[in-house]
Amino acid sequence: MTRVFSGVKPTGHLTLGNYLGAMRQWAETDQHRADALFCVVDLHALTVDHDPARVRRLSRQAATLLLAAGLDPERCTVFVQSHVDEHARLSYLLECVATDGEMRRMIQYKEKSVREQGRGGSVRLSLLTYPALMAADILAYYTDEVPVGDDQTQHVELARDLAVRFNHRYGHTFVVPKATPPKVAARVMNLQDPTSKMGKSDDSGPGIVYLLDEPEVVRKKVMRAVTDSGQDVVYDRQERPGVANLLEILAACEGGNPQDLSGAYASYGALKKDTAEAVVELLRPVQQRHRELCADPGYLEGVLRAGAEKAREMARPTVDAAYRAIGLLPA
């Protein structure tokens, strides 16, 4: 059976972009067609300055929202990265296979290091090396497919390169995975800056729809979305990014095609209104299930405990094999 792995980083409140770009596909498709693992990758949240209490709070919230989005612990494995030591164990081995140049070419490292320096902070070494940890997340489980947005495909390519290199140097140890981006809304853009991704760690709150936003907040944000010059509703990602973003969000919510939807609107206002209502209705069941799960915290703890145990059993043989292959004495 195909094995799928993907994760979400608890660096901010999860957004509509996270849901449309990844979580919905995980729940509706991936957990039913594959042996699937979904992880809150909390170790990745430590690569920049952070509040420990906030990381713990967001990790719990992210795990709760994964379940609220429809992940079923009876069908897939849901766990927290730091609960499975094999991720950190394998990460160091992959650092010993990766090169400094590969790490520095990562787009997210370039962007985040500039941002940290701009804030007057220092750049942590882990920000440079965390793609090796991400590769370990994937390779530890004999992963075949990694469903990710297009902003993460570079990291999956690195995981592929490291798997091939390790196998060539030390003997076949890892499956070489591939990225499987979703077909629609792979990258939902910020409503106030439609040339930038709707990121959960972004400071531009008005442009981001969070999964737990109240309906009126959602409507307000969508109705105030930046559009473009001109009056006609045309789907053109390059020339009309604001309108294109709204059409893509609406299409993703309703299962339509953004190009086809563009012909149904004579004004930006009508498009915004329909998009806002579609998002509100999309999030309604997720928010209801989130409230139910929050009322029973013991259930989440049990799911994460069982998920970590299962993930550990799956990862340990692979990581132990990698330790032997690279030349380390068995314990």
Side-chain angles (χ1 to χ4, degrees):
M1 193 173 188
T2 299
R3 173 136 326 146
V4 166
F5 177 95
S6 199
V8 62
K9 185 164 56 174
T11 51
H13 299 288
L14 296 182
T15 73
L16 178 67
N18 296 124
Y19 183 73
L20 290 178
M23 294 164 63
R24 186 172 66 171
Q25 177 177 300
W26 300 348
E28 293 182 354
T29 303
D30 294 326
Q31 69 172 338
H32 299 284
R33 70 175 180 85
D35 182 9
L37 300 98
F38 301 106
C39 181
V40 178
V41 287
D42 54 343
L43 295 175
H44 291 295
L46 311 185
T47 59
V48 294
D49 189 35
H50 64 277
D51 174 7
R54 185 170 186 267
V55 170
R56 285 190 291 269
R57 184 170 65 253
L58 290 175
S59 296
R60 176 177 290 276
Q61 183 185 90
T64 305
L65 282 168
L66 289 178
L67 300 180
L71 292 186
D72 182 354
E74 297 299 318
R75 292 183 176 274
C76 64
T77 305
V78 180
F79 66 105
V80 175
Q81 179 190 33
S82 63
H83 294 176
V84 180
D85 292 345
E86 279 64 29
H87 291 253
R89 289 180 61 207
L90 182 56
S91 177
Y92 180 72
L93 296 195
L94 296 180
E95 287 182 19
C96 296
V97 175
T99 68
D100 175 76
E102 285 175 317
M103 297 293 105
R104 295 187 185 279
R105 282 195 295 272
M106 293 291 107
I107 294 172
Q108 291 206 8
Y109 170 72
K110 293 178 180 179
E111 293 176 348
K112 291 182 180 180
S113 61
V114 168
R115 193 180 308 146
E116 283 297 306
Q117 290 170 340
R119 292 171 177 168
S122 57
V123 179
R124 299 185 181 190
L125 178 61
S126 57
L127 186 62
L128 176 65
T129 61
Y130 91 87
L133 175 58
M134 184 173 176
D137 299 337
I138 298 166
L139 299 181
Y141 296 99
Y142 265 49
T143 301
D144 298 297
E145 298 179 9
V146 188
V148 292
D150 58 4
D151 60 321
Q152 291 292 334
T153 54
Q154 187 186 33
H155 288 129
V156 180
E157 287 301 315
L158 176 67
R160 288 173 55 85
D161 292 343
L162 295 181
V164 169
R165 191 177 306 154
F166 192 102
N167 290 346
H168 178 73
R169 291 179 181 175
Y170 306 114
H172 184 78
T173 306
F174 301 117
V175 168
V176 180
K178 65 177 182 179
T180 54
K183 295 179 181 179
V184 180
R187 199 174 193 190
V188 178
M189 311 307 279
N190 189 298
L191 295 174
Q192 292 299 312
D193 179 8
T195 62
S196 300
K197 186 182 74 166
M198 186 183 285
K200 59 183 175 296
S201 54
D202 198 325
D203 294 329
S204 179
I208 304 171
V209 175
Y210 297 104
L211 294 186
L212 297 179
D213 276 347
E214 293 292 333
E216 283 309 310
V217 174
V218 173
R219 293 186 182 100
K220 189 180 202 179
K221 288 180 177 179
V222 176
M223 294 304 294
R224 293 183 176 179
V226 169
T227 49
D228 313 288
S229 60
Q231 298 297 322
D232 52 330
V233 178
V234 177
Y235 180 68
D236 186 331
R237 168 53 69 185
Q238 297 300 317
E239 299 298 326
R240 302 281 187 87
V243 172
N245 189 36
L246 291 171
L247 287 166
E248 288 182 354
I249 291 171
L250 180 60
C253 289
E254 298 185 343
N257 180 285
Q259 186 72 53
D260 295 339
L261 286 172
S262 65
Y265 293 95
S267 69
Y268 293 161
L271 171 61
K272 288 181 176 182
K273 183 178 179 181
D274 282 2
T275 303
E277 292 307 316
V279 173
V280 167
E281 291 307 311
L282 181 78
L283 298 184
R284 193 183 304 280
V286 176
Q287 294 178 352
Q288 175 60 35
R289 181 58 178 151
H290 179 266
R291 287 190 290 269
E292 295 169 359
L293 290 167
C294 287
D296 184 11
Y299 174 74
L300 176 66
E301 292 171 4
V303 167
L304 296 181
R305 188 181 308 112
E309 290 174 1
K310 184 178 177 182
R312 198 175 299 118
E313 290 174 0
M314 296 167 71
R316 184 167 293 162
T318 307
V319 178
D320 285 348
Y323 268 58
R324 291 192 299 272
I326 206 169
L328 301 178
L329 287 173

